[in-house]
Amino acid sequence: MTLAATSATFRSWRQPSIIPGFGLTFGVAMVYLSLIVLIPIALLILRTTQLSWAEYWEIATSERVVAALRLSFGAALIAAAINAVFGVIVAWVLVRYEFPGKRLIDAIVDLPFALPTAVAGIALTAIFAGNGWVGQFIEPLGIKVAYTSIGVVIALTFIGLPFVVRTLQPVIMEIERETEEAAATLGANRRQAILRVILPTLVPALLTGFVLALARGIGEYGSVVFIAGNLPYRTEIAPLLIVIRLTEFDYNGATAIATIMLAIAFVMFLTINLIQVWARRRFGYV
Amino acid sequence: MSEQSLPALAAPATWRAPTAEGRPVRLLLIGVAVAFIVLFLGFPLLVVFIEAFRNGAGAYFGAFADPDTQHAILLTLLVAAIAVPANLVFGVCAAWAIAKYQFRGKAFLITLIDLPFSVSPVIAGLIYVIMFGSHGYFGPWLNDRDIQIIFAVPGIVLATIFVTFPFVARELIPLMDEQGTQDEEAAISLGASGWQTFRRVTLPNVKWGLMYGVLLCNARAMGEFGAVAVVSGHIRGLTNTMPLHIEILYNDYQWVAAFTVASLLALLALVTLVVKSVLEWRFSHELANGPR
């Protein structure tokens, strides 16, 4: 290809600009992105070719892997559902009401983003273990949290809350008061206005936050391993099983589980995008 | 809010605006929200500090005398000191290329940059083990040359870079996109070089957003557990970062020492939250997505 032809295709791909530095910055960004993210992930996926389909299928459907994936998915689903309920309330309260300490509460919502997962893990275990802060009172009642799947749900609820709240907050802020006033003028009482006018407009953001929390929960490791007890088939999450396979130097086993989780993550990502496309059509906003 | 703006005369004691919830409902919702946040998020944070000081301040500060603990702190600082600047440079380059020019495939590129956020941290570690581990693609080659990446500091740095990859870029891209290209075009027309334009025009416009991204990137870099656990090999005094050291102390039943190290990271989280909140309150118009 001649130089002229190259620059012609280049131009049609990118609009001309007088600002210099595109080549340098784009080049640095692409090389770095490729080296750190794209090539390693591609090589991970390529690694599965060392397994035949039958072998891959055997790993994917083995009892221990299925149990781990089911726990990761199920616990993340329950945790995301809990967060969806409380996330709506927290986001609503933070946007609509004034009360002392509101800014503090608003800031603490981000704690799970800022607090290292291992710290969250040992703190939650200290609270819910049999001799712990809360555990010593609820365990005599027959409620065991630490080292059971309930513990996994607790840890994932802690991790997931900000996803729901932070997705909902800007949307609640954007709700036009006129629609609520119109509902009231047309004779709706407050409950009807909330259930039939306000909540439906929050559905896309709520679903997005729900899926974000779910996706994070399925992959979460640090906060869970301390409180889960990590019994095979019972309280062993999928990311932990990858770690176990690696310590056994079973790279193929680890890779197979990892690709299943990547596929799940991809489906989550597609779901979020579909929700947003649907929301844009239905409600006219993202 | 609308309740207060109405003339007091027209409002009997039991009247409320039809677009606001009644007082009992409001108080109930505030109570539920505050209780949930305080119990679920605030309480674990408090427990970290209480457990760390369980045996008094002497035991607390005594825990720092352990050379392995000191090494873990230093290693964490070192890893963050490499990973954060690396992602800062990448973030600025990516934001410049994506926000200041129009080209096809932009949305897809942004998706790729966000990719590390949707990957489990354990997988973030795994990909480097598959590449550089003893049974990995380049393992034998590296072995022959006595270069160790996995179970050594380079692996920890790589895994940390991966999990903190998008922070700076995803903060800068929308912000620089919002600000458009007129300022830069004016600077270039007036004879400034590209570098001068960036340093004198773009950088002052995005400095708070940049700081915001770096802050979050650093918090994650110092606190990352899963990805680092996979590549580190947990060698005390060599490849243990603070989060990994917490796990080792905890599994050794060194309860107070584990919570002491944890309290340092909790303190880091608190400082991060305070600075983040200050940035959001004071400079909300100079951050991506405008006022929060």
Side-chain angles (χ1 to χ4, degrees):
Chain A
M1 217 191 299
T2 64
L3 193 66
T6 318
S7 75
T9 49
F10 189 68
R11 239 176 242 137
S12 64
W13 167 68
R14 172 174 80 83
Q15 284 176 23
S17 163
I18 62 157
I19 302 172
F22 179 79
L24 176 72
T25 54
F26 187 79
V28 169
M30 285 311 287
V31 168
Y32 190 76
L33 176 70
S34 305
L35 287 180
I36 297 288
V37 180
L38 301 183
I39 294 173
I41 289 185
L43 286 179
L44 173 80
I45 296 170
L46 193 70
R47 175 93 192 188
T48 53
T49 55
Q50 296 200 357
L51 293 163
S52 70
W53 270 112
E55 287 170 315
Y56 187 86
W57 189 247
E58 200 189 312
I59 294 173
T61 56
S62 77
E63 206 185 327
R64 193 167 171 189
V65 172
V66 170
L69 284 170
R70 187 184 291 150
L71 174 65
S72 276
F73 199 86
L77 207 59
I78 297 170
I82 295 173
N83 279 328
V85 173
F86 286 97
V88 171
I89 298 174
V90 171
W92 180 263
V93 163
L94 287 177
V95 174
R96 285 294 176 96
Y97 304 150
E98 293 301 324
F99 57 94
K102 176 176 157 173
R103 280 189 159 185
L104 183 68
I105 296 290
D106 194 18
I108 297 182
V109 168
D110 277 330
L111 183 73
F113 284 159
L115 192 71
T117 51
V119 179
I122 63 167
L124 290 173
T125 314
I127 292 173
F128 289 106
N131 55 356
W133 292 74
V134 173
Q136 60 180 316
F137 300 112
I138 58 171
E139 224 156 78
L141 306 174
I143 309 168
K144 261 180 79 74
V145 173
Y147 317 124
T148 68
S149 46
I150 303 175
V152 181
V153 173
I154 297 269
L156 296 184
T157 309
F158 176 89
I159 289 298
L161 182 72
F163 289 97
V164 179
V165 177
R166 294 301 184 223
T167 327
L168 276 171
Q169 257 176 323
V171 180
I172 296 178
M173 237 179 267
E174 295 284 302
I175 296 177
E176 285 168 20
R177 281 301 179 110
E178 284 85 348
T179 57
E180 289 167 57
E181 283 160 12
T185 314
L186 293 170
N189 62 32
R190 189 61 187 155
R191 199 164 55 102
Q192 286 171 317
I194 288 179
L195 290 180
R196 310 197 37 189
V197 178
I198 298 175
L199 277 184
T201 63
L202 296 184
V203 166
L206 186 59
L207 278 177
T208 304
F210 177 84
V211 179
L212 284 173
L214 179 65
R216 172 71 200 263
I218 294 172
E220 177 59 20
Y221 176 73
S223 56
V224 179
V225 285
F226 294 96
I227 201 172
N230 308 329
L231 292 171
Y233 305 101
R234 306 238 339 255
T235 56
E236 185 178 66
I237 52 168
L240 176 68
L241 197 52
I242 295 180
V243 174
I244 291 174
R245 290 286 176 265
L246 270 181
T247 52
E248 295 162 349
F249 289 100
D250 179 7
Y251 283 20
N252 289 339
T255 306
I257 305 168
T259 49
I260 297 169
M261 292 187 65
L262 280 179
I264 295 174
F266 184 70
V267 170
M268 301 279 144
F269 172 79
L270 274 187
T271 312
I272 292 174
N273 278 293
L274 287 176
I275 292 168
Q276 287 178 346
V277 168
W278 167 71
R280 215 171 290 141
R281 278 209 203 116
R282 173 77 174 72
F283 301 101
Y285 68 92
V286 210
Chain B
M1 292 246 283
S2 55
E3 202 175 15
Q4 288 161 355
S5 61
L6 287 162
L9 263 180
T14 52
W15 188 88
R16 70 180 164 82
T19 54
E21 291 78 53
R23 197 177 153 79
V25 176
R26 227 170 10 176
L27 288 180
L28 177 74
L29 288 179
I30 292 176
V32 169
V34 171
F36 188 75
I37 297 288
V38 168
L39 288 180
F40 238 86
L41 305 185
F43 185 46
L45 183 67
L46 190 68
V47 163
V48 173
F49 291 100
I50 295 176
E51 291 291 343
F53 283 100
R54 174 175 276 242
N55 296 347
Y60 180 84
F61 291 107
F64 291 114
D66 179 5
D68 289 343
T69 301
Q70 291 171 2
H71 186 274
I73 296 172
L74 286 178
L75 182 61
T76 295
L77 293 176
L78 172 74
V79 169
I82 301 171
V84 175
N87 283 335
L88 172 65
V89 171
F90 160 74
V92 170
C93 284
W96 183 271
I98 289 174
K100 298 297 174 195
Y101 304 92
Q102 295 303 323
F103 57 89
R104 269 185 278 158
K106 218 186 230 193
F108 182 63
L109 186 56
I110 295 175
T111 305
L112 288 182
I113 291 175
D114 271 342
L115 194 61
F117 276 165
S118 35
V119 171
S120 168
V122 168
I123 296 178
L126 173 69
I127 56 174
Y128 295 111
V129 176
I130 296 289
M131 281 191 45
F132 304 119
S134 54
H135 300 271
Y137 286 102
F138 307 110
W141 188 88
L142 290 167
N143 233 359
D144 293 342
R145 281 153 192 80
D146 256 347
I147 304 171
Q148 191 148 25
I149 292 182
I150 299 306
F151 303 150
V153 176
I156 297 175
V157 172
L158 276 175
T160 306
I161 288 180
F162 183 94
V163 292
T164 57
F165 188 85
F167 279 105
V168 178
R170 70 154 25 191
E171 185 62 32
L172 280 185
I173 293 170
L175 179 62
M176 281 167 68
D177 198 48
E178 244 169 72
Q179 291 175 343
T181 53
Q182 287 109 324
D183 290 2
E184 283 78 13
E185 279 161 3
I188 301 288
S189 324
L190 293 170
S193 71
W195 173 245
Q196 280 174 321
T197 307
F198 171 72
R199 213 169 52 90
R200 294 266 187 76
V201 177
T202 311
L203 200 55
N205 278 341
V206 300
K207 59 175 185 286
W208 298 116
L210 193 71
M211 209 168 142
Y212 192 86
V214 167
L215 183 78
L216 298 184
C217 182
N218 180 64
R220 181 73 193 266
M222 291 191 171
E224 178 53 27
F225 178 74
V228 173
V230 171
V231 295
S232 126
H234 297 89
I235 309 163
R236 278 189 206 209
L238 270 180
T239 63
N240 253 354
T241 60
M242 282 162 77
L244 298 177
H245 196 55
I246 292 173
E247 186 194 21
I248 288 199
L249 292 171
Y250 185 87
N251 290 341
D252 268 2
Y253 302 104
Q254 298 191 43
W255 192 264
V256 169
F259 276 97
T260 301
V261 180
S263 73
L264 274 191
L265 287 175
L267 207 60
L268 168 78
L270 281 179
V271 171
T272 303
L273 283 186
V274 169
V275 177
K276 178 174 170 294
S277 302
V278 169
L279 284 176
E280 280 169 8
W281 296 332
R282 293 244 329 153
F283 305 107
S284 68
H285 292 275
E286 294 173 59
L287 296 174
N289 309 321
R292 289 168 218 239

